[in-house]
Amino acid sequence: MNAPGPARRDPLGELTANRIDPEARLAVHYALQPVAAVGQSLAPKAPDDSQQSLCSGGPTRWLGTTAVGGALRAGLEAVRLELQLCDAAGAPLASLPLAGRTLSDALAFLRAELERRGQPAAALVLPTHPPDFPRHTIGDGAAFPRDGAAARADLARLFAGTGEVLEAVRPDPAIPVRLWPHHFDLAASWTAGGASVGLGFSPGDEGSQGQPYWYATIDPRPARPPPLVGGGSWRTSGWWGAELPFSRLAPPGERREQLAAFFRSALTAARAG
């Protein structure tokens, strides 16, 4: 008789609070902006602006788009709030702890490291976002916090766990899972059967009163959206789509299957039209 294998890890971990500390969330959101700046300023522009997006570089790390001829990219270790300049494979070449430093310091670090490698860095500027980008004193010149690592670790677990589920439910492994610096959401998007489909996760925003949630968007809307499973519901206020708030998550150990079932039920609605 074969011995039983190890229990399948629930990527959403043992998180129980239905709200990430907003200061930790906003600190990471702002720390992503210098990373996005390298792709936005120094990489070719993509039709969907994905040159400013990021991809996973590990459980607590995010990497920006390769730039300057595909040789360099920026990265962020989210728990330590460490800004990095990396090679194309994501290996750090230089790093700057952001605690106690400002966005201006972050840009100065990246410019200096790029110039040290013979790359023109005068064009490096932060991405410009629409007016709904959240305001914080960091954006007005305040320093990044020195505390909050535990809350940032919870945030990283939510993103990493969601990323694993999105990679499992996307219909094609070539579909990228991207972290977007504007709304600070992790998403996979594609076109299926004439509909544009997006599956994603937000760690909280004004519309959710700061509560993390998972979502699905479908365009055009299905004429008769079917019931969703996994605790999801159709949202009609503010934006239209499927929504699963953190407060409806199953107990730890059951969340991976619940989230996958929620996403798949939204995909069924997209295919049904």
Side-chain angles (χ1 to χ4, degrees), residues 55-63 90:
C55 66
S56 175
T60 64
R61 190 162 169 260
W62 294 92
L63 296 171

Side-chain angles (χ1 to χ4, degrees), residues 27-28 31-32 35 54 57-63 74-86 92 95-99 149 152-153 156:
V28 177
L32 293 175
V35 179
L54 295 84
T60 64
R61 190 162 169 260
W62 294 92
L63 296 171
L76 177 72
E77 205 293 325
V79 179
R80 297 196 304 269
L81 278 186
E82 181 182 87
L83 180 63
Q84 301 169 345
L85 185 70
C86 307
S95 62
L96 176 74
L98 291 177
R152 293 194 298 271

Side-chain angles (χ1 to χ4, degrees), residues 10-261:
D10 187 332
L12 300 177
E14 298 296 323
L15 301 175
T16 57
N18 65 4
R19 188 169 180 262
I20 295 293
D21 177 71
E23 289 298 310
R25 172 169 52 84
L26 287 167
V28 177
H29 196 169
Y30 271 82
L32 293 175
Q33 303 310 307
V35 179
V38 174
Q40 176 70 14
S41 304
L42 304 176
K45 182 174 174 59
D48 60 354
D49 275 337
S50 57
Q51 75 279 352
Q52 63 178 256
S53 68
L54 295 84
C55 66
S56 175
T60 64
R61 190 162 169 260
W62 294 92
L63 296 171
T65 304
T66 53
V68 292
L72 298 169
R73 65 203 309 183
L76 177 72
E77 205 293 325
V79 179
R80 297 196 304 269
L81 278 186
E82 181 182 87
L83 180 63
Q84 301 169 345
L85 185 70
C86 307
D87 64 17
L93 303 172
S95 62
L96 176 74
L98 291 177
R101 294 185 169 92
T102 66
L103 278 174
S104 295
D105 295 332
L107 284 178
F109 160 76
L110 289 173
R111 289 191 183 108
E113 293 299 329
L114 288 166
E115 289 171 356
R116 187 170 296 139
R117 291 163 177 79
Q119 302 297 334
L124 185 65
V125 295
L126 293 173
T128 300
H129 298 304
D132 62 347
F133 188 80
R135 293 294 303 273
H136 192 273
T137 55
I138 293 173
D140 298 324
F144 284 93
R146 297 184 182 276
D147 55 5
R152 293 194 298 271
D154 284 344
L155 182 66
R157 280 192 285 271
L158 282 168
F159 275 112
T162 300
E164 290 183 23
V165 177
L166 287 174
E167 289 173 357
V169 302
R170 59 186 172 173
D172 185 336
I175 295 171
V177 177
R178 292 189 171 111
L179 182 64
W180 295 91
H182 173 202
H183 287 127
F184 192 22
D185 62 325
L186 183 69
S189 304
W190 65 92
T191 300
S196 296
V197 180
L199 304 180
F201 165 72
S202 168
D205 52 35
E206 289 186 5
S208 69
Q209 289 76 50
Q211 180 178 184
Y213 63 94
W214 291 264
Y215 67 84
T217 57
I218 305 167
D219 185 31
R221 300 182 187 182
R224 295 181 179 178
L228 296 162
V229 301
S233 59
W234 294 105
R235 180 187 176 111
T236 59
S237 175
W239 55 274
W240 187 91
E243 181 182 39
L244 172 61
F246 189 98
S247 58
R248 295 185 203 156
L249 279 188
E254 302 174 19
R255 293 172 176 174
R256 180 188 184 106
E257 286 72 21
Q258 178 193 13
L259 183 54

